[in-house]
């Protein structure tokens, strides 16, 4: 079964931006006039319906400006991070308060002099302060909730008993993919495409739903989709590729994961982190510190996953491109690796050496089933002798580019 995930439609993004902006502006407007009206009533100032209308007139223009600005900010993606939303709400509220008051002054026929303008600025610490605070609070709470709900709420929710494999077909220039620790040899792209089809068929045959990210034209390494993101339950951490040429690979992957209903977090520069450097064993997350993942990337990942109940352990990597080029883990948590490359086996609770370099790579398909490369028959036999069902696939053309069975998919289970 093949499922093609669709990007979030533009119309839905516009609708989410419009509704979130409208609600933020409405909360700022209604709550402000209600607070001022209540204060007048409590102060026995003889407030009535006419007073309520007058107060509304004061903040109507500011609220309309907030609506327009928050609509634009939402479309620019400020709700991706709470602190972006905080800044956006503050800017919209301040600009709205000043411009809205300025328009009222101008409409009254009063000339806008330097003195008048300074007085307008001063209202931010006076009559407009309440409005600014309420708009900011509405932005980081209700506005953000509406935005995320409308974008993700209509997507199929993540179902824990559904196994999904996210894959990406090879780009036409696959043969130009980077090599770091291997000598470059010719890559047969037609054979690579057939091998990729076989890999996807193996996943589907093992009961996994396959979701394809659109092909990334011109991005030779994009087939190694695992490097673009790491999944922790219903949270997807978008990577920050250590190779600058690969940083364009993450956008479509994020769109696909968002369409599956996952909550999105991300690693940001100067932090770098490739998904191939992240090995999850139970609640422990081993992260390779090497050529593609730096200390700042590890620090950011640790901060993101600690609240999710995961412990990050950094592992030095110098003999291969990624940590999972060196070691992976069996379903029972035993870490397996090729001794000549696995220089720090003592960092792992249980370590099992395998006789072939390609034998260090397994994809866990079920509690009793793993996927391995056909180029490591002795290692496959060793794993099978441990009681596991081993499915093998030929990915020889991808191995020429330092790829392995784990690199070619992101697994959600």
């Amino acid at each position: 079964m093949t499922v093609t995930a669709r990007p979030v439609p533009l119309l839905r993004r516009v609708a989410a931006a419009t509704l979130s902006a409208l609600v933020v502006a409405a909360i700022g407007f209604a709550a402000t006039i209600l607070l001022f009206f209540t204060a007048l009533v409590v102060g026995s100032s003889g407030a009535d319906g006419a007073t309520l209308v007058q107060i509304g007139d004061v903040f109507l223009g500011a609220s309309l400006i907030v609506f327009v600005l928050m609509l634009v900010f939402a479309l620019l993606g400020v709700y991706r991070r709470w602190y972006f939303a905080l800044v956006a709400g503050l800017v919209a509220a301040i600009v709205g308060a000043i411009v809205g008051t300025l328009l009222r002054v101008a409409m009254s026929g009063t000339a806008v002099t330097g003195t008048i303008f300074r007085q307008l600025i001063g209202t931010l610490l006076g009559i407009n302060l309440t409005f600014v605070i309420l708009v900011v609070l509405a932005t980081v709470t209700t506005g953000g909730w509406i935005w995320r709900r409308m974008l993700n709420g209509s997507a199929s929710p993540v179902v824990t008993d559904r196994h999904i494999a996210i894959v990406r077909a090879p780009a036409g220039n696959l043969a130009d993919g980077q090599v770091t620790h291997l000598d470059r040899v010719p890559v047969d792209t037609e054979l690579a495409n057939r091998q990729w089809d076989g890999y996807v068929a193996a996943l589907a045959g093992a009961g996994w739903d396959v979701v394809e990210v659109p092909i990334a034209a011109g991005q030779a390494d994009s087939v190694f989709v695992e490097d673009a993101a790491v999944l922790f339950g219903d949270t997807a951490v978008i990577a920050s590729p250590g190779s600058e040429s690969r940083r364009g690979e993450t956008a479509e992957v994020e769109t696909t994961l968002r369409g599956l209903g996952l909550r999105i977090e991300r690693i940001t520069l100067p932090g770098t982190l490739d998904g191939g450097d992240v090995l999850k064993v139970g609640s422990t997350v081993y992260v390779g510190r090497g050529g593609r993942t730096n200390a700042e990337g590890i620090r950011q990942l640790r901060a993101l996953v600690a609240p999710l109940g995961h412990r990050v352990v950094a592992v030095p990597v110098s003999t291969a491109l990624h940590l999972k080029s060196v070691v992976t883990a069996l379903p029972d948590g035993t870490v397996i690796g090729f001794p000549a490359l696995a220089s720090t086996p003592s960092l792992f609770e249980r370590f099992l050496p395998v006789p072939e370099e390609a034998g260090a790579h397994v994809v866990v398909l079920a509690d009793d089933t793993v996927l391995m490369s056909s180029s490591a028959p002795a290692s496959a036999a060793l794993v099978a002798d441990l009681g596991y069902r081993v499915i093998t696939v030929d990915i020889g053309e991808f191995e020429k580019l330092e790829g392995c069975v784990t690199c070619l998919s992101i697994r959600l289970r």
Side-chain angles (χ1 to χ4, degrees):
M1 174 182 176
T2 300
V3 181
T4 301
R6 298 179 180 178
V8 178
L10 177 61
L11 183 60
R12 194 197 306 168
R13 288 177 58 85
V14 173
T18 302
L19 183 58
S20 61
L22 181 62
V23 169
V24 167
I27 289 176
F29 175 74
T32 301
I33 63 175
L34 182 61
L35 285 175
F36 274 99
F37 182 76
T38 301
L40 290 174
V41 170
V42 172
S44 302
S45 300
D48 53 18
T51 305
L52 190 63
V53 172
Q54 291 173 353
I55 298 173
D57 287 341
V58 172
F59 294 101
L60 180 60
S63 300
L64 291 175
I65 293 169
V66 166
F67 166 72
V68 172
L69 290 177
M70 287 309 305
L71 172 61
V72 173
F73 289 155
L75 289 173
L76 292 176
V78 297
Y79 286 121
R80 292 177 176 176
R81 297 277 181 165
W82 70 268
Y83 42 84
F84 289 163
L86 176 66
V87 172
L90 187 62
V91 170
I94 291 175
V95 172
I98 292 176
V99 175
T101 307
L102 183 63
L103 289 175
R104 282 186 53 80
V105 171
M107 291 174 63
S108 69
T110 304
V112 180
T113 63
T115 300
I116 292 294
F117 190 76
R118 285 192 295 273
Q119 291 175 348
L120 291 176
I121 299 296
T123 64
L124 294 175
L125 297 176
I127 190 174
N128 280 320
L129 179 60
T130 300
F131 178 76
V132 170
I133 292 174
L134 290 171
V135 167
V136 171
L137 289 176
T139 300
V140 298
T141 55
T142 310
W145 181 84
I146 290 173
W147 169 264
R148 290 186 292 272
R149 184 71 176 176
M150 290 192 66
L151 288 192
N152 295 336
S154 59
S156 298
V158 177
V159 181
T160 56
D161 62 353
R162 184 184 178 198
H163 293 177
I164 300 173
I166 296 98
V167 298
R168 194 172 208 171
N173 64 334
L174 172 69
D176 297 329
Q178 300 178 47
V179 288
T180 305
H181 295 268
L182 298 178
D183 294 330
R184 183 175 293 279
V185 295
V187 173
D188 185 333
T189 54
E190 291 186 7
L191 177 57
N193 283 325
R194 292 197 297 272
Q195 290 177 350
W196 185 83
D197 289 340
Y199 177 88
V200 172
L203 294 173
W208 289 65
D209 291 343
V210 177
V211 174
E212 292 190 36
V213 180
I215 295 175
Q219 294 179 317
D221 293 294
S222 58
V223 68
F224 303 121
V225 67
E226 181 187 48
D227 290 329
V230 186
L231 305 187
F232 297 89
D234 64 354
T235 298
V237 177
I238 305 302
S240 175
S243 173
E244 185 174 355
S245 65
R246 299 193 63 186
R247 289 174 187 163
E249 298 176 17
T250 61
E252 287 285 1
V253 174
E254 176 178 343
T255 299
T256 299
L257 294 173
R258 195 182 293 277
L260 291 171
L262 295 173
R263 185 172 68 90
I264 302 297
E265 298 287 354
R266 56 178 47 79
I267 306 298
T268 58
L269 294 172
T272 62
L273 182 137
D274 278 14
D277 273 319
V278 181
L279 173 64
K280 295 172 289 182
V281 181
S283 62
T284 301
V285 181
Y286 296 101
V287 184
R289 170 63 175 96
R292 298 294 177 87
T293 295
N294 64 16
E296 173 60 17
I298 296 174
R299 186 199 66 77
Q300 290 184 32
L301 183 68
R302 181 177 286 117
L304 288 173
V305 303
L308 303 177
H310 296 281
R311 176 176 68 100
V312 169
V313 176
V315 180
V317 175
S318 60
T319 56
L321 183 62
H322 292 125
L323 175 62
K324 284 198 283 192
S325 302
V326 178
V327 294
T328 55
L330 297 174
D332 67 0
T334 299
V335 174
I336 63 173
F338 186 55
L341 297 180
S343 57
T344 55
S346 60
L347 289 176
F348 308 109
E349 183 178 346
R350 297 192 305 276
F351 180 81
L352 174 67
V354 293
E356 297 139 319
E357 182 176 337
H361 315 134
V362 299
V363 171
V364 175
L365 297 178
D367 290 342
D368 62 351
T369 306
V370 298
L371 181 71
M372 299 183 68
S373 170
S374 60
S375 64
S379 301
L382 173 62
V383 173
D385 194 51
L386 297 176
Y388 292 105
R389 175 183 175 225
V390 179
I391 299 172
T392 59
V393 290
D394 181 7
I395 57 164
E397 297 307 299
F398 300 103
E399 290 173 336
K400 294 176 180 179
L401 298 169
E402 297 179 293
C404 59
V405 287
T406 65
C407 305
L408 294 171
S409 62
I410 303 172
R411 281 80 58 193
L412 171 63
R413 57 181 301 189

